[in-house]
């Protein structure tokens, strides 16, 4: 049984999908900590309601370096003997302090079909705006491993979502979010079942036996 930490900054609907999937036995793991950099984040309230332990260090006004901040998170996660980290709307770029420690053991979900519409500046509403501005016919959601780049790690799961005529960033975001809520638990199911390896920077999924 994997010991999972979820890092979230916002409303936490993806966290909710993971909590629900845990309840439903979709993956063989337990969310042992929910961490946020934003006091009062909806994600923390969802975790508390579910009885999952939480922790929060406000990043706003934090006086130390980013590395020190990540070292504090690392201390919490090591104290919980976490072996898998899920970023779920965590709005800070991580330093190598965390990324190296959880290499091949940290997942992120991104609301587009990476490698398109990923990287610096592509977060939140901006992703969907850019998809619409580019006149794309489809977008999607991507679960990927986290490496030292931004949205560049090996892709584990990806699902397409159509762009509809008259879509706004909000309507597209809502449609993509439904897909996110479906594929993130599936990705965890694969990882927790030991069916995922990274070979030469690419994800290899072992077929179900
Ligand atoms: C999601 O669209 C996720 O892909 C992105 O941030 C959003 C978080 O939403 N990284 P929520 O907090 O899970 O509702």
């Amino acid at each position: 049984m994997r010991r999972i930490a979820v890092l979230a900054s916002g409303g936490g609907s993806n966290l909710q999908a993971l909590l629900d999937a845990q309840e439903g036995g979709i993956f063989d793991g337990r969310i042992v900590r929910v961490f946020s950099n934003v006091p009062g984040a909806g994600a923390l309230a969802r975790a508390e309601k579910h009885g999952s332990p939480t922790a929060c260090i406000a990043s706003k006004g934090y006086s130390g370096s980013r590395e020190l901040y990540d070292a504090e998170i690392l201390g919490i996660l090591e104290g919980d003997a976490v072996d898998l980290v899920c970023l779920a709307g965590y709005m800070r770029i991580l330093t190598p302090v965390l990324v190296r420690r959880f290499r091949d053991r940290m997942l992120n979900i991104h609301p587009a079909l990476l490698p398109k519409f990923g990287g610096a500046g592509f977060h939140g509403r901006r992703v969907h705006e850019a998809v619409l501005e580019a006149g794309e016919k489809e977008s999607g959601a991507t679960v990927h491993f986290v490496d030292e780049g931004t949205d560049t790690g090996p892709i584990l799961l990806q699902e397409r979502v159509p762009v509809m005529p008259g879509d706004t960033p909000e309507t597209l975001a809502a449609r993509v979010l439904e897909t996110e809520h479906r594929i993130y638990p599936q990705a965890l199911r694969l990882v927790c079942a030991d069916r995922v390896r990274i070979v030469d920077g690419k994800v290899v999924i072992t077929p179900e036996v």
Side-chain angles (χ1 to χ4, degrees), residues 10-14 89 109-111 177 180:
S13 70
N14 276 291
I109 186 145
H110 186 80
L177 206 49
E180 292 183 46

Side-chain angles (χ1 to χ4, degrees), residues 68-84:
L68 189 60
Y69 184 88
D70 280 359
E72 288 203 46
I73 300 178
L74 184 56
I76 295 169
L77 303 187
E78 289 188 332
D80 293 329
V82 163
D83 36 38
L84 184 65

Side-chain angles (χ1 to χ4, degrees), residues 163-196:
V163 174
M164 301 293 201
D167 257 345
T168 62
E170 288 69 29
T171 58
L172 179 57
R175 193 174 313 116
V176 169
L177 206 49
E178 280 178 28
T179 297
E180 292 183 46
H181 297 163
R182 198 168 53 249
I183 69 169
Y184 215 172
Q186 284 173 20
L188 265 189
R189 180 180 177 86
L190 291 170
V191 172
C192 291
D194 266 331
R195 290 177 52 201
V196 179

Side-chain angles (χ1 to χ4, degrees), residues 64-181:
S65 65
R66 296 178 83 86
E67 285 75 15
L68 189 60
Y69 184 88
D70 280 359
E72 288 203 46
I73 300 178
L74 184 56
I76 295 169
L77 303 187
E78 289 188 332
D80 293 329
V82 163
D83 36 38
L84 184 65
V85 177
C86 292
L87 306 182
Y90 187 66
M91 300 302 278
R92 273 169 72 85
I93 304 285
L94 298 174
T95 67
V97 170
L98 269 177
V99 175
R100 286 198 188 134
R101 180 69 181 74
F102 286 97
R103 178 171 305 286
D104 299 350
R105 296 187 301 139
M106 187 187 288
L107 298 172
N108 181 42
I109 186 145
H110 186 80
L113 292 175
L114 291 176
K116 286 173 118 179
F117 305 104
F122 284 110
H123 50 74
R125 188 178 197 275
R126 179 71 201 121
V127 176
H128 306 293
E129 269 174 6
V131 168
L132 294 175
E133 278 164 18
E136 296 285 323
K137 296 274 180 292
E138 58 181 17
S139 187
T142 304
V143 178
H144 65 95
F145 286 93
V146 176
D147 66 9
E148 281 161 34
T150 305
D151 301 328
T152 52
I155 290 172
L156 171 51
L157 281 184
Q158 205 161 42
E159 195 173 304
R160 292 167 195 285
V161 171
V163 174
M164 301 293 201
D167 257 345
T168 62
E170 288 69 29
T171 58
L172 179 57
R175 193 174 313 116
V176 169
L177 206 49
E178 280 178 28
T179 297
E180 292 183 46
H181 297 163

